[in-house]
Amino acid sequence: MPTQQKLSVTLADVLAARERLRNSIYYSPCPHSQMLSAVTGQQVYLKLENLQMTGSFKERGALNRIAVLTPEQAARGVIAASAGNHAQGVAYHATKRGIKALIVMPLTTPLVKVTATREFGAEVLLHGANYDEAFAEAMRLCDAEGLTFIHPFDDAHVMAGQGTIGLELLEQVPQLQAVVVPIGGGGLVGGVACAVKESRPDIRIVGVQTSRLPSMAVAVEAHEPVTIEPATTIADGIAVRRAGTLTLPVVENYVDEIVTVDEDEIASAILMLLEREKTLAEGAGAAGLAALLQHRTSLQGAHTAVLVCGGNIDVTLLSRIIERGMVQDGRLIRLRIHLLDKPGALHDLTRLIADHRANIVDTLHNRAYYGVNLGDTVIDITMETRGRDQVQELLQALTEAGYRHSRVL
């Protein structure tokens, strides 16, 4: 562990936060996964923070910050800027305590998160194309209306609240050797790393960012927060362009390694959690597992806790991820096949497909495009299969039967 310096969060802060949160936050399970352990080469334990009331770890930090408000601050109300999960945490716990909450969310925020935030009792204002614009508006309103701003990550009390996860991990996995944590602005990894490293310095802390917005990795390299170019990502919960001023020194002091994963890798991790672990994760929530699945870390055979830190994913995005994952696995395929335009031609083709146990889910005929000869037709057929081996068998059968065909990607 690097030389200790004056940091914004301490183990004592995390322990105090745990006492404040004890009767209000779910002690989320951390089961061992035999399947993921076999695939990744680690002994994997999933810390299921997606099972919190608001669907993410964010309510830990939000509640800890709300719990230290003065009576005067509580009477005036609180405000936050968030793409969703922090918003829900603030809304839920402020409303439970009778405190007015105003949340400024970017216009691009998934509907499921906007709706949930309103249902938890907050007033929601949609403003700006991204988090930075929403944040600027929230700060303006904070000053204009005398509200208390609750930062999603760059706040010592928020960091300490998130750090309570680290205390739980130490209890749940006594043989723990590593923790893999998604990183946005650094509040989660900072709090967890502080709690874990100050208790067990031998445990490795690995942070994971999306390659599209590696703001913390850039900040660590520069030794100061750097604002990077905006980008879109399915991991919207960690889509932060600038690391926190308070969180960066904590990360530099405690985090051993920061790696990145790309969009398809995150999508594959979401699908694996859903299909094999029966666990729903959003993009940010699956980033840690994506790093292990792609062998991006330096870990080898360690008892490793992976934070599934959120499960608030838009159902439309989820359906696209499932479909794309099936295509990548060869379980969904679209073929463009040339046929003679005569009675019985389609029947012969579908019988061949049925003989190879593929299931047709969609067809599209075309007689004018794709270089179709007069008297011929082209048909695009989308099929469900058992995987790549079955696809190869089907393609071979089509070729042997004289069909001209190609994959539609």
Side-chain angles (χ1 to χ4, degrees), residues 261-281:
V261 288
D262 65 29
E263 298 296 286
D264 284 340
E265 291 164 350
I266 295 171
S268 294
I270 292 172
L271 187 59
M272 180 165 285
L273 282 169
L274 183 63
E275 191 169 34
R276 305 296 293 273
E277 292 292 328
K278 310 302 181 286
T279 295
L280 180 62

Side-chain angles (χ1 to χ4, degrees), residues 81-83 104-109 127-140 149 151-153 213 215 226-231 239-243:
S82 170
V104 185
M105 309 180 83
L107 292 166
T108 54
T109 304
H127 179 90
N130 51 47
Y131 170 78
D132 294 323
E133 293 180 10
F135 174 82
E137 178 65 9
M139 295 306 296
R140 186 189 70 79
F149 185 75
H151 201 283
F153 54 84
L213 285 164
S215 55
V226 177
T227 302
I228 62 178
E229 291 298 314
V240 176
R241 293 177 58 201
R242 184 181 178 89

Side-chain angles (χ1 to χ4, degrees), residues 333-335 359-364 379-383:
I333 182 175
R334 180 175 296 172
L335 296 180
N359 181 46
I360 297 173
V361 295
D362 187 44
T363 61
L364 175 65
I379 182 169
D380 286 352
I381 302 182
T382 304
M383 293 169 279

Side-chain angles (χ1 to χ4, degrees), residues 18 36 78 153 164 168 170 182 204 222 228 256 263 265 306 336 340 357-358 394 396:
R18 187 173 196 182
L36 293 177
V78 299
F153 54 84
T164 58
E168 293 176 11
L170 294 171
R204 287 185 62 79
I228 62 178
D256 298 290
E263 298 296 286
E265 291 164 350
V306 182
R336 181 163 295 156
L340 290 175
R357 310 304 297 170
L394 177 60
Q396 181 65 30

Side-chain angles (χ1 to χ4, degrees), residues 80-289:
S82 170
N85 290 337
H86 178 62
Q88 293 175 63
V90 172
Y92 176 61
H93 288 288
T95 301
K96 280 189 69 175
R97 285 154 182 76
I99 300 170
K100 184 184 90 170
L102 173 61
I103 312 295
V104 185
M105 309 180 83
L107 292 166
T108 54
T109 304
L111 178 61
V112 64
K113 295 184 178 182
V114 176
T115 302
T117 303
R118 287 180 171 141
E119 289 177 347
F120 284 131
E123 177 187 352
V124 174
L125 172 64
L126 296 176
H127 179 90
N130 51 47
Y131 170 78
D132 294 323
E133 293 180 10
F135 174 82
E137 178 65 9
M139 295 306 296
R140 186 189 70 79
L141 292 170
C142 181
D143 293 337
E145 301 185 20
L147 304 172
T148 297
F149 185 75
I150 300 182
H151 201 283
F153 54 84
D154 210 23
D155 181 288
H157 292 293
V158 169
M159 221 184 315
Q162 323 299 26
T164 58
I165 295 173
L167 300 178
E168 293 176 11
L169 289 175
L170 294 171
E171 296 169 350
Q172 292 172 307
V173 189
Q175 67 274 44
L176 188 64
Q177 294 173 300
V179 184
V180 180
V181 188
I183 298 181
L188 174 61
V189 73
V192 170
C194 174
V196 171
K197 284 285 194 179
E198 289 296 329
S199 304
R200 291 266 309 277
D202 59 298
I203 295 175
R204 287 185 62 79
I205 305 294
V206 179
V208 182
Q209 293 200 284
T210 166
S211 59
R212 292 193 174 182
L213 285 164
S215 55
M216 185 60 75
V218 172
V220 168
E221 184 175 355
H223 300 295
E224 63 179 0
V226 177
T227 302
I228 62 178
E229 291 298 314
T232 58
T233 171
I234 62 172
D236 57 283
I238 53 174
V240 176
R241 293 177 58 201
R242 184 181 178 89
T245 302
L246 298 180
T247 60
L248 175 58
V250 179
V251 170
E252 288 184 309
N253 196 69
Y254 293 119
V255 175
D256 298 290
E257 181 180 12
I258 297 177
V259 300
T260 62
V261 288
D262 65 29
E263 298 296 286
D264 284 340
E265 291 164 350
I266 295 171
S268 294
I270 292 172
L271 187 59
M272 180 165 285
L273 282 169
L274 183 63
E275 191 169 34
R276 305 296 293 273
E277 292 292 328
K278 310 302 181 286
T279 295
L280 180 62
E282 60 186 275
L289 178 61

Side-chain angles (χ1 to χ4, degrees), residues 294-350:
Q294 301 302 321
H295 305 285
R296 292 291 164 75
T297 75
S298 60
L299 303 176
Q300 294 183 347
H303 289 271
T304 303
V306 182
L307 269 61
V308 182
C309 57
N312 295 316
I313 189 169
D314 182 78
V315 292
T316 303
L317 174 60
L318 180 61
S319 69
R320 293 201 297 268
I321 288 172
I322 292 172
E323 185 174 40
R324 176 177 287 194
M326 291 180 67
V327 170
Q328 291 174 339
D329 290 344
R331 290 181 292 161
L332 190 66
I333 182 175
R334 180 175 296 172
L335 296 180
R336 181 163 295 156
I337 303 172
H338 291 250
L339 293 174
L340 290 175
D341 194 7
K342 66 176 185 178
L346 181 59
H347 175 267
D348 292 341
L349 174 62
T350 57

Side-chain angles (χ1 to χ4, degrees), residues 327-333 335 352 356-358 383-401 405-407 409:
V327 170
Q328 291 174 339
D329 290 344
R331 290 181 292 161
L332 190 66
I333 182 175
L335 296 180
L352 185 151
H356 285 79
R357 310 304 297 170
M383 293 169 279
E384 293 175 336
T385 71
R386 293 188 300 275
R388 293 187 178 90
D389 290 343
Q390 185 184 10
V391 170
Q392 290 304 315
E393 292 174 4
L394 177 60
L395 294 177
Q396 181 65 30
L398 289 168
T399 300
E400 291 175 355
H405 59 82
S406 61
R407 296 278 290 268
L409 302 176

